Amino acid sequence: MKKIILSLVFATLLISCKEETTEKVKQATKAVSADLKQAADSAKVKAKKVLDSTKMGEKAKVIIAKGAEKVEEGAKKIKESVKK
């Protein structure tokens, strides 16, 4: 009789521990998924900043090229006016 009662108590303890472990695993999974989501969001923001800075660099190159063309045109006009 004692063995039956002890085995029932032991089985009950195992089941209750299993539920606590399952709950802890669920909490850990939620925490890890939240951390991953936050890391993905921060990586996304950083990537956008890099892309924006790259676009600004490209725009600056275009602006500089256009400015150089205007300066060359102005220099040509000055040379032509000096020749006349």
Side-chain angles (χ1 to χ4, degrees):
M1 186 71 163
K2 288 183 182 179
K3 290 182 180 181
I4 294 173
I5 294 173
L6 286 175
S7 45
L8 287 175
V9 169
F10 184 69
T12 306
L13 286 174
L14 286 176
I15 292 171
S16 66
C17 290
K18 187 174 183 179
E19 289 175 6
E20 290 175 11
T21 304
T22 305
E23 186 64 32
K24 288 180 182 179
V25 169
K26 286 180 184 178
Q27 290 176 353
T29 304
K30 287 180 184 179
V32 168
S33 64
D35 288 344
L36 287 175
K37 193 174 202 178
Q38 185 179 9
D41 290 342
S42 66
K44 192 177 191 181
V45 168
K46 288 178 183 177
K48 282 185 179 181
K49 285 182 182 179
V50 169
L51 288 174
D52 289 343
S53 66
T54 303
K55 289 178 184 177
M56 290 302 292
E58 290 175 7
K59 288 181 181 179
K61 288 179 184 178
V62 170
I63 292 170
I64 291 170
K66 286 182 180 179
E69 289 175 9
K70 298 266 183 176
V71 170
E72 287 178 14
E73 288 175 9
K76 285 181 184 178
K77 287 181 183 177
I78 292 173
K79 285 181 183 179
E80 289 175 5
S81 67
V82 170
K83 287 181 183 178
K84 292 181 183 180

